[in-house]
């Protein structure tokens, strides 16, 4: 206890209140700006010197103090720590993440959205479609995958499997396969066979990579068909993977 009180005294002169509610309010406030560079340096130095074995509230306050400092360049990384830290309760973390959806830093917004997608569920809804309406690109598409999976919207998931973004495609495929592997594989195979698609190599790579499709019984017929493909990129990749699979099989037989 005496050791911990020393750290409270060190932080007090730089204006840090270790009451969790006070620091949280500062983190959520758009007015949370440090007054001077000297104050910033002193606060960060004091926070960095907090021993790792102090109580959870002190750890929580350390993270919240860093995140509330708008001059910290790595606030997105601090937000990831807040999301993962057992020292910060669920309600507090969700509140910070929800407010961070409107942060001026795009990396903070992206981090907040992805964290809320992971936390959101039917039993504990912490993210609404309206809250992500301003997002664009991969983040917006990943949110679509999430809400489609949450609502059981298979049609949207099938459509998103044809997405040109590899991360979105894989997320949609995994979401659909969670409930119906056969349907997900059928949609992915149709995308691979669609000569109009610009993302057929990407689709074949997903076949090879996914735990749902990379077994020999599932993958080998796909590769054998793809090695005769008109697209040289698809064809060469299929031949390369087939060669690797044959080498692996021969090595396994030798060890046996």
């Amino acid at each position: 206890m005496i050791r911990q009180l020393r750290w409270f005294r060190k932080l007090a002169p730089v204006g840090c209140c270790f009451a969790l509610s006070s620091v949280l309010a500062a983190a959520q406030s758009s007015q949370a700006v440090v007054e001077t560079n000297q104050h910033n340096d002193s606060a960060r130095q004091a926070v960095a010197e907090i021993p790792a074995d102090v109580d959870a509230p002190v750890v929580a306050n350390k993270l919240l103090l860093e995140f509330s400092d708008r001059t910290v360049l790595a606030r997105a990384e601090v937000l990831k720590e807040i999301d993962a830290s057992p020292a910060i309760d669920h309600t507090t973390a969700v509140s910070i993440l929800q407010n961070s959806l409107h942060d001026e830093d795009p990396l903070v917004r992206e981090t907040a959205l992805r964290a809320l997608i992971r936390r959101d569920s039917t039993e504990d809804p912490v993210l609404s479609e309206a809250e992500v309406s301003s997002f664009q690109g991969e983040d917006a598409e990943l949110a679509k995958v999430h809400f489609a999976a949450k609502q059981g919207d298979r049609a949207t998931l099938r459509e998103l499997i044809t997405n040109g973004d590899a991360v979105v495609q894989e997320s949609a495929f995994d979401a659909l396969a969670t409930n119906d592997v056969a349907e997900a594989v059928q949609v992915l195979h149709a995308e691979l066979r669609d000569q109009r698609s610009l993302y057929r190599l990407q689709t074949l790579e997903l076949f090879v990579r996914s735990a749902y499709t990379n077994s020999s019984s599932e993958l080998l017929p796909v590769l054998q068909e793809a090695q005769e493909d008109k697209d040289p990129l698809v064809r060469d990749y299929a031949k390369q993977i087939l060669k690797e699979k044959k080498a692996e099989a021969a090595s396994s037989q030798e060890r046996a």
Side-chain angles (χ1 to χ4, degrees):
M1 174 63 81
I2 293 174
R3 188 183 181 204
Q4 294 173 17
L5 286 173
R6 289 174 182 164
W7 299 109
F8 277 92
R9 294 193 190 102
K10 287 189 72 174
L11 283 165
V14 296
C16 171
C17 176
F18 268 94
L20 182 58
S21 59
S22 298
V23 180
L24 175 59
Q28 295 174 344
S29 171
S30 60
Q31 303 299 321
V33 179
V34 184
E35 294 181 359
T36 66
N37 290 335
Q38 182 179 5
H39 175 93
N40 292 338
D41 294 340
S42 299
R44 281 195 288 274
Q45 180 180 359
V47 167
E49 291 175 0
I50 296 177
D53 59 348
V54 296
D55 288 344
V58 179
V59 176
N61 284 326
K62 170 186 172 181
L63 292 173
L64 294 171
L65 175 63
E66 286 185 303
F67 186 67
S68 68
D69 183 351
R70 303 289 172 173
T71 67
V72 175
L73 297 179
R75 290 176 63 244
E77 294 303 315
V78 177
L79 187 59
K80 289 179 183 178
E81 293 186 49
I82 290 173
D83 177 43
S85 175
I88 299 179
D89 65 89
H90 174 74
T91 301
T92 300
V94 167
S95 178
I96 294 171
L97 291 168
Q98 288 173 335
N99 283 333
S100 297
L101 290 174
H102 311 288
D103 197 272
E104 69 273 13
D105 186 335
L107 290 178
V108 170
R109 294 197 300 271
E110 175 186 320
T111 300
L113 176 60
R114 298 196 180 202
L116 287 169
I117 285 175
R118 288 192 300 271
R119 287 173 176 262
D120 187 53
S121 66
T122 303
E123 298 76 20
D124 184 21
V126 297
L127 183 68
S128 69
E129 293 186 63
E131 288 177 306
V132 299
S133 60
S134 62
F135 284 83
Q136 297 179 345
E138 183 177 280
D139 293 327
E141 295 299 291
L142 287 173
K144 286 182 183 178
V145 171
H146 168 70
F147 288 117
K150 183 178 177 182
Q151 297 161 8
D153 185 353
R154 294 189 175 193
T156 297
L157 289 176
R158 288 195 297 268
E159 179 183 344
L160 288 166
I161 288 176
T162 67
N163 194 288
D165 185 299
V167 175
V168 175
Q169 182 188 44
E170 185 167 2
S171 297
F173 175 73
D174 288 347
L176 187 57
T178 298
N179 295 311
D180 193 331
V181 175
E183 181 181 8
V185 172
Q186 182 181 22
V187 174
L188 197 64
H189 208 165
E191 174 67 8
L192 177 60
R193 287 172 167 167
D194 185 355
Q195 297 294 325
R196 298 168 299 175
S197 173
L198 300 176
Y199 314 109
R200 298 175 61 244
L201 176 60
Q202 168 185 300
T203 300
L204 183 57
E205 290 171 339
L206 178 53
F207 260 110
V208 174
R209 183 172 64 251
S210 175
Y212 291 107
T213 54
N214 66 3
S215 64
S216 295
S217 59
E218 188 73 55
L219 183 59
L220 287 180
V222 173
L223 292 172
Q224 288 165 351
E225 178 182 333
Q227 72 175 341
E228 305 296 334
D229 198 90
K230 295 179 180 179
D231 186 332
L233 293 177
V234 172
R235 185 171 64 244
D236 291 347
Y237 181 70
K239 289 179 179 179
Q240 173 194 333
I241 300 300
L242 278 170
K243 184 178 180 179
E244 292 175 3
K245 294 295 181 183
K246 288 178 181 178
E248 290 173 5
S251 178
S252 297
Q253 288 178 351
E254 289 177 3
R255 287 196 299 269

